[in-house]
Amino acid sequence: MTATGTFGLSSEARNLQWLLTNLVDEVRGARSVAVVSSDGLLLLSSDPAQHDAADSAEGSESPRGSSADLATIISGISSLTLGAAELLDTGGVKHTMVAMAEGTVFVMSISDGSLLGLHAGADCDMHVVAYHMTMFVGRAGHVLTPELRSELRKSMESAQ
């Protein structure tokens, strides 16, 4: 998270970015973290500077594994698990984990319908990841208003 990502933002938006930075700092092995709106748009990212570097270096393509890619993955996983929960009549999805040979993706629902996603290395401590994601969701859920989502969305668009 860079200082340029917080310039001109409300105190609520800066606080959410601070919480996201803290999440990344506290989770050993975290590679990328993103907050995605219920309609799949990237709202908050652990690496906004990565998008700027990609735009200047490679045209419009972002680097592999960037938060933009993570946002797409989070949205897809959420859609799949929500569909499964509906078909199985098991209620809402609270969190999802996809373990791969060399990494893990965690997705957790935020109370307003937004999603928190984290991509970590395979050696991450899943309990630590779950704890810190739960703490973020608990702190962010009540402040992620439609106005704040709009502000964050505009901030991410201007960073690209």
Side-chain angles (χ1 to χ4, degrees), residues 3 26 30 39 49 54 64 73-74 91 95 98 119 144 149-150 154:
E26 294 295 324
D39 54 357
R64 186 173 182 186
I73 293 165
I74 292 167
H95 56 260
V98 179
H119 172 221
L144 205 48
R149 285 193 303 271
S150 177
K154 289 175 186 173

Side-chain angles (χ1 to χ4, degrees), residues 87-144:
L87 284 172
L88 298 172
D89 195 25
T90 56
V93 177
K94 295 179 182 180
H95 56 260
T96 305
M97 181 188 79
V98 179
M100 297 162 278
E102 295 184 28
T104 306
V105 173
F106 301 86
V107 179
M108 192 171 283
S109 297
I110 300 176
S111 61
D112 71 330
S114 299
L115 302 160
L116 172 65
L118 185 142
H119 172 221
D123 62 340
C124 71
D125 184 333
M126 292 180 206
H127 294 98
V128 171
V129 173
Y131 171 79
H132 285 286
M133 288 181 73
T134 301
M135 295 300 292
F136 180 92
V137 166
R139 293 175 179 151
H142 67 282
V143 298
L144 205 48

Side-chain angles (χ1 to χ4, degrees), residues 16-70:
L16 281 177
Q17 286 188 329
W18 179 84
L19 287 171
L20 194 75
T21 300
N22 189 53
L23 172 64
V24 172
D25 291 344
E26 294 295 324
V27 175
R28 187 179 60 82
R31 296 180 180 165
S32 186
V33 181
V35 175
V36 180
S37 67
S38 58
D39 54 357
L41 297 174
L42 183 62
L43 297 177
L44 200 58
S45 166
S46 63
D47 59 351
Q50 197 173 34
H51 298 295
D52 294 340
D55 288 344
S56 62
E58 302 177 51
S60 63
E61 290 187 37
S62 59
R64 186 173 182 186
S66 71
S67 290
D69 290 340
L70 183 58

